[in-house]
């Protein structure tokens, strides 16, 4: 081989070796860069789930209204009788008639939500909220109108025009929002249900610009529709959050999230289109966030009674911040708010004024409530409520009504319910009704764990003084 050919061969081998070494170095560098970047995506995505939970909760309900009930913005979804498990919102109450106006002021301008006065014909209890589930105001007898009814005027962000007289103005920092309104039943009969529905349909929702001749309010009936609004702990969570970010203004308190969301691919004015690797990271982060939230759910609530498993279903700090959009001079309750909106689809501005809730995920012995076991819950006589009480069972994992059960609850208004000689009521929770106790039975899914919520509507002083106490749920011995 000539020296020139040998030189060329040596140069070629050196070049190839350099390419191979460079390629190896490039792979190592890419891995080094990819590792921290992917970790940052997952860390920030977990925080985005915690922070964005209330907005995603709202968006999932609105999407269900559009997709499942065939409704839309500035319309009202309702249930034309007591609903069953097909209402897959988070911990709904199947013992009232629900009415949910969804409003959007971006194009329509100020919206009027007109409520009828409470009377023998019926009454409304509920809250008007923005799309971050921050309560703008409670309504009804325990709300701003004190049961007199009235025209609530929901104003868009930055609205500066003079306000008309005769309205109850509510300023919102966001365009979208909704109200959760309960039309209270006088009793448990079908006639009582029909009366509550008729009363609820006196509610009106229309633009202020058309107040002189309001157009008909569109009511969308979701009865017998699988209204699926549960939280999706996967890529769909971030797609939902992106819809809110694209549509709503950034609030000053939340601008720290701009860069965090940009890291995971959510940026105002740009499409959310994560590549396959990022999608995998986001799915993994959502699953991790769910585990974190669930661990907090199991340990964050104080006991209501000493030596009892019943707890109010909210972190105590919520009571101090919910009325002021979850923030005070020294607090912004992102963690408490994020936790609350994993299992509830409504907030209350003044907790305990019109209703109060207790929840448990354990029996008296501290064991998780198991759908394959039969339990007994005794409701003592003379419950201190001016309206009624109810017990509802939910799927422990999803916080929705248990799928495919015959009925999800029993209440003091349930027809045919059996009372003991002292006025107490024994309720049975389990996969099968004990013989002769069908009317007092709430069915469970034997393959899943569940949780139980006690609701007191118009609770009286004795409830909070705890001179009347709700016993723990007890496993039956057969």
């Amino acid at each position: 081989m000539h020296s020139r050919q040998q030189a060329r061969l040596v140069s070629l081998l050196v070049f190839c070796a350099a390419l191979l070494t460079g390629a190896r170095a490039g792979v190592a560098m890419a891995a080094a860069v990819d590792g921290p970047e992917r970790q940052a995506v997952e860390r920030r995505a977990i925080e985005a789930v915690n922070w964005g939970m209330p907005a995603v909760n709202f968006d999932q309900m609105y999407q269900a209204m559009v997709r499942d009930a065939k409704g839309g913005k500035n319309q009202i979804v309702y249930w034309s009788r007591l609903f069953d498990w097909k209402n897959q919102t988070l911990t709904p109450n199947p013992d009232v008639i629900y009415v949910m106006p969804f409003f959007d002021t971006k194009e329509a301008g100020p919206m009027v939500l007109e409520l009828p006065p409470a009377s023998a014909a019926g009454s409304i209890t509920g809250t008007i909220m923005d799309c971050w589930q921050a309560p703008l105001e409670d309504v009804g007898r325990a709300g701003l109108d004190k049961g007199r009814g009235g025209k609530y005027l929901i104003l868009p962000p930055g609205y500066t025009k003079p306000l008309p007289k005769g309205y109850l103005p509510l300023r919102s920092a966001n365009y979208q929002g909704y109200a959760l309104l309960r039309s209270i039943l006088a009793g448990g009969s079908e006639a009582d249900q029909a009366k509550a529905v008729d009363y609820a349909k006196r509610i009106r929702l229309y633009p202020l610009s058309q107040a002189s001749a309001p157009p008909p309010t569109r009511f969308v009936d979701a009865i017998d529709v699988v209204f699926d609004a549960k939280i999706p702990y996967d890529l769909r969570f971030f797609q939902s959050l992106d819809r809110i970010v694209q549509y709503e203004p950034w609030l000053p308190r939340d601008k720290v999230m701009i860069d965090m969301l940009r890291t995971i691919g959510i940026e105002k004015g740009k499409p959310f289109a994560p590549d396959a690797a990022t999608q995998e990271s986001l799915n993994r982060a959502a699953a991790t966030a769910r585990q974190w939230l669930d661990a907090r759910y199991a340990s964050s609530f104080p006991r209501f009674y000493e030596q009892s498993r019943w707890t109010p279903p909210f972190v105590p700090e919520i009571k101090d911040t919910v009325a002021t959009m979850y923030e005070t001079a020294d607090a912004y309750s992102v963690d408490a708010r994020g936790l609350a909106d994993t299992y509830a689809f409504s907030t209350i501005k003044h907790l305990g004024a019109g209703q109060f809730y207790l929840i448990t995920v354990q029996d008296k012995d501290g064991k998780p409530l198991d759908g394959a076991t039969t339990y007994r819950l005794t409701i003592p006589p003379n419950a201190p409520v001016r309206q009624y009480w109810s017990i509802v069972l939910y799927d422990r994992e999803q916080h929705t009504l248990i799928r495919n059960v015959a009925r999800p609850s029993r209440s003091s208004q349930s027809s045919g319910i059996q009372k003991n000689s002292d006025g107490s009521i024994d309720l049975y929770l389990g996969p099968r009704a004990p013989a002769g106790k069908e009317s007092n039975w709430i069915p469970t899914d034997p393959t899943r764990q569940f949780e139980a919520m006690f609701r007191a509507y118009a609770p009286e002083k004795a409830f909070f003084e705890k001179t009347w106490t709700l016993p723990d749920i007890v496993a039956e011995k057969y």
Side-chain angles (χ1 to χ4, degrees):
M1 182 178 293
H2 296 295
S3 59
R4 182 177 297 176
Q5 291 176 319
Q6 289 177 332
R8 287 177 178 174
L9 180 60
V10 170
S11 297
L12 181 60
L13 291 173
V14 170
F15 177 70
C16 290
L19 283 178
L20 182 61
T21 301
R24 288 173 176 167
V27 170
M29 183 176 294
V33 171
D34 185 65
E37 284 186 352
R38 292 302 169 199
Q39 291 172 11
V41 167
E42 292 190 24
R43 285 198 310 272
R44 290 188 162 186
I46 291 170
E47 291 299 335
V49 171
N50 189 52
W51 168 77
M53 184 63 69
V56 170
N57 189 325
F58 162 81
D59 183 67
Q60 289 300 304
M61 289 188 289
Y62 180 69
Q63 297 303 321
M65 182 196 191
V66 173
R67 179 191 62 242
D68 302 330
K70 311 305 179 187
K73 61 185 178 182
N74 296 327
Q75 297 176 6
I76 298 178
V77 65
Y78 79 111
W79 283 260
S80 58
R81 63 175 185 274
L82 296 183
F83 53 75
D84 59 14
W85 66 266
K86 294 184 182 69
N87 182 336
Q88 288 285 292
T89 51
L90 302 182
T91 58
N93 183 2
D95 295 300
V96 296
I97 297 298
Y98 270 144
V99 185
M100 295 177 66
F102 283 83
F103 58 83
D104 186 341
T105 62
K106 197 167 196 175
E107 296 178 0
M111 292 294 299
V112 179
L113 179 61
E114 188 174 340
L115 302 182
S119 66
S123 66
I124 295 291
T125 298
T127 305
I128 304 170
M129 294 157 279
D130 69 10
C131 62
W132 285 89
Q133 294 204 18
L136 303 179
E137 195 53 76
D138 296 333
V139 304
R141 284 176 169 145
L144 185 62
D145 61 272
K146 305 300 182 184
R148 295 186 293 267
K151 298 177 181 180
Y152 287 87
L153 182 60
I154 304 157
L155 303 171
Y159 190 80
T160 58
K161 294 181 180 179
L163 299 180
K165 294 182 180 180
Y167 292 86
L168 301 170
L170 303 179
R171 294 192 177 275
S172 177
N174 299 280
Y175 295 110
Q176 299 175 100
Y178 70 112
L180 179 64
L181 308 178
R182 307 168 186 87
S183 185
I184 305 300
L185 276 67
S189 69
E190 291 185 5
D192 290 323
Q193 295 180 41
K195 185 177 179 180
V197 170
D198 289 343
Y199 178 79
K201 295 190 78 172
R202 292 168 57 185
I203 296 168
R204 296 291 179 262
L205 178 65
Y206 53 86
L208 177 65
S209 61
Q210 300 180 38
S212 60
T217 298
R218 187 182 177 207
F219 285 84
V220 181
D221 192 357
I223 200 68
D224 297 330
V225 171
V226 179
F227 192 88
D228 192 352
K230 63 181 180 292
I231 305 298
Y233 290 94
D234 52 33
L235 180 65
R236 292 171 296 168
F237 186 99
F238 303 101
Q239 292 169 335
S240 185
L241 183 57
D242 179 67
R243 282 192 288 267
I244 296 293
V245 168
Q246 299 303 331
Y247 199 80
E248 297 291 345
W250 274 110
L251 304 183
R253 71 186 186 198
D254 289 326
K255 285 191 173 182
V256 69
M257 294 301 298
I258 293 175
D259 278 357
M260 289 195 179
L261 294 188
R262 185 185 292 123
T263 302
I264 66 176
I266 296 177
E267 187 172 358
K268 187 177 283 291
K270 295 184 178 181
F272 177 55
D275 58 26
T278 303
Q279 290 185 32
E280 182 181 348
S281 294
L282 294 176
N283 282 324
R284 189 160 50 244
T288 301
R290 182 178 196 166
Q291 294 173 351
W292 178 40
L293 289 159
D294 192 65
R296 287 154 53 192
Y297 176 76
S299 62
S300 296
F301 307 139
R303 293 186 178 185
F304 188 65
Y305 307 106
E306 188 176 350
Q307 304 300 322
S308 170
R309 304 296 174 180
W310 292 102
T311 68
F314 54 85
V315 178
E317 85 175 70
I318 284 278
K319 187 173 176 56
D320 299 324
T321 62
V322 68
T324 52
M325 308 297 177
Y326 296 102
E327 57 181 325
T328 65
D330 299 310
Y332 179 23
S333 301
V334 171
D335 286 351
R337 180 188 71 179
L339 174 59
D341 290 324
T342 64
Y343 58 83
F345 72 127
S346 172
T347 52
I348 302 167
K349 190 167 186 176
H350 303 289
L351 290 165
Q355 58 273 312
F356 197 81
Y357 308 145
L358 296 174
I359 196 167
T360 184
V361 298
Q362 297 175 325
D363 67 11
K364 184 177 182 178
D365 297 326
K367 297 179 180 177
L369 296 173
D370 182 359
T373 301
T374 297
Y375 301 89
R376 176 173 43 83
L377 170 62
T378 299
I379 310 295
N382 304 315
V385 294
R386 290 189 301 278
Q387 292 179 342
Y388 71 98
W389 58 260
S390 73
I391 288 285
V392 188
L393 306 187
Y394 302 100
D395 183 280
R396 171 65 180 82
E397 181 181 1
Q398 302 288 351
H399 307 299
T400 54
L401 293 173
I402 302 170
R403 284 179 171 261
N404 300 309
V405 297
R407 63 169 173 248
S409 67
R410 294 277 83 185
S411 81
S412 55
Q413 295 182 329
S414 296
S415 58
I417 203 161
Q418 301 174 20
K419 293 185 177 182
N420 300 319
S421 58
D422 64 352
S424 65
I425 296 173
D426 290 327
L427 297 178
Y428 297 89
L429 328 174
R432 291 173 299 278
K437 302 297 183 181
E438 288 80 4
S439 62
N440 289 35
W441 169 58
I442 309 176
T444 59
D445 181 343
T447 68
R448 300 184 67 82
Q449 293 183 353
F450 68 94
E451 57 199 12
M453 182 177 286
F454 178 85
R455 286 177 167 88
Y457 279 98
E460 296 178 325
K461 189 176 180 181
F463 186 89
F464 299 104
E465 290 181 342
K466 303 173 187 176
T467 54
W468 181 94
T469 60
L470 183 66
D472 282 322
I473 294 171
V474 179
E476 288 285 85
K477 307 296 183 183
Y478 292 107

